[in-house]
Amino acid sequence: TRFSFDAEADEWLPTWSPDGSRIAYSWGRESFLDIYLKPSTGAGAEEPLLVSNFFNRVTDWSADGRYIMFRHRDSAQSQDDAWVSPINTEISGATRQPRSFESTRFDEDCGTFSPDSRWIAYSSDESGTYEIYVKPFPGPGGKWQVSTRSGSYPTWRRDGRELYFITDNRMLFPVTASALS
């Protein structure tokens, strides 16, 4: 069943809410992507979550349903950064605003929440090649590089005991949770 209907725009990277009731996706034209939420039934209008005229690509939805992780770039000259946006209406004020999770002069991408929403794994090219890092959420705390030769597209095992990622030679590599603490 068709879900989106704007023939003039690109709609991509759909991400299901944990309860399956909504879908977050990136929507845009030319050089920008905004983030919208829509009931997964397809009924009703989409709700803008982040309209900024920058490049915002959804990468994950936290298992507790409270946050969306996305890749953010504010200009053609900037690098990609990992950002988080609260979506729960119970969150108010300044804490409801989207915020940077990891922002450096390097690319940060593919942010994904652990099943208990206490950690975020992401890729970064700060070492000169893309590697996988893990950092506590919402913080504070340092970060750990968990890949050794390359890494992208981190994905947590459903029980949170392992983190998987793809290496440059297209191998799936696991890291146990005990290595993260």
Side-chain angles (χ1 to χ4, degrees), residues 101 117-120 134-144:
F101 174 74
S117 301
R118 292 181 48 219
W119 301 92
I120 291 177
V134 175
K135 187 173 172 180
F137 179 77
K143 64 183 175 187
W144 292 270

Side-chain angles (χ1 to χ4, degrees), residues 5-25:
F5 297 92
D6 190 337
E8 301 290 319
D10 292 322
E11 295 130 338
W12 51 309
L13 301 161
T15 302
W16 289 87
S17 65
D19 66 3
S21 67
R22 294 185 288 175
I23 296 175
Y25 60 95

